[in-house]
Amino acid sequence: MKKGPYETTQLERAQSRVRQLKGFYKHVTVYVLVTMALLLFAKRVTFVLLSKEALGNPDFLEWINWNVYGTPIIWGIALLIHACYVYVPSPFKKWEKRKIKAYMDKDQGETNKFV
C-alpha cells in the first residue's frame, strides 16, 4: 500500500515520542531540584535573613508557608497533567488523524479534477 505525503513514518513517530519523553524527564528533574533544593530550604534562609518583628507576625508566616508549600503543590499538579499528556493515550489522536486524512484526500481529489 502506497503512503500518502501526509502520513508520518515510523521513525518520525518514534522521534516525536522520544522528544515528548525527554521534555517530561526535564520537567521532573527541574521540579525535584527546585522544590527540594530551593523552596524547602527557603523557609530556613528566610528566618535567618528577616527581623524578629517580621517573624512574629502570623500573617507573614502564613504567607511564607503558602509560598514554600503551595508552589510545589501547584507545580506538582502541572507535572501530573504533563505526565498524563505524555503517558496516557489521547482518544482525540485517532479522530485527528482520520480528519486530517479525510481533508487531505478531499484536497487531493479536488486537485486531480483540474489535471
Side-chain angles (χ1 to χ4, degrees), residues 17 20-21 23-25 27-28 75-93:
R17 181 75 176 140
Q20 287 179 344
L21 288 170
F24 176 69
Y25 294 151
H27 192 173
V28 169
W75 195 352
I77 292 169
L79 187 61
L80 180 65
I81 292 169
H82 191 171
C84 288
Y85 175 76
V86 171
Y87 289 107
V88 177
S90 172
F92 299 108
K93 286 189 180 185

Side-chain angles (χ1 to χ4, degrees), residues 44-59:
R44 293 181 187 182
V45 172
T46 303
F47 285 128
V48 172
L49 297 176
L50 294 175
S51 68
K52 295 203 184 265
E53 291 175 7
L55 294 175
N57 185 348
D59 292 332

Side-chain angles (χ1 to χ4, degrees), residues 4-111:
Y6 50 87
E7 293 182 24
T8 59
T9 65
Q10 189 175 11
L11 175 63
E12 290 169 334
R13 287 191 305 272
Q15 288 172 334
S16 174
R17 181 75 176 140
V18 168
R19 277 193 302 275
Q20 287 179 344
L21 288 170
K22 280 176 54 177
F24 176 69
Y25 294 151
K26 286 178 185 178
H27 192 173
V28 169
T29 302
V30 171
Y31 173 77
V32 169
L33 290 175
V34 170
T35 57
M36 296 302 167
L38 296 177
L39 294 176
L40 296 179
F41 295 115
K43 191 172 184 179
R44 293 181 187 182
V45 172
T46 303
F47 285 128
V48 172
L49 297 176
L50 294 175
S51 68
K52 295 203 184 265
E53 291 175 7
L55 294 175
N57 185 348
D59 292 332
F60 182 72
L61 292 175
E62 186 177 332
W63 179 82
I64 289 175
N65 283 336
W66 270 105
N67 283 294
V68 170
Y69 299 117
T71 302
I73 291 170
I74 292 170
W75 195 352
I77 292 169
L79 187 61
L80 180 65
I81 292 169
H82 191 171
C84 288
Y85 175 76
V86 171
Y87 289 107
V88 177
S90 172
F92 299 108
K93 286 189 180 185
K94 287 182 183 178
W95 173 84
E96 186 177 296
K97 286 179 184 178
R98 284 194 317 264
K99 286 308 236 183
I100 289 172
K101 185 176 182 332
Y103 283 122
M104 294 293 287
D105 289 345
K106 181 181 175 187
D107 187 47
Q108 186 70 29
E110 289 176 4
T111 303

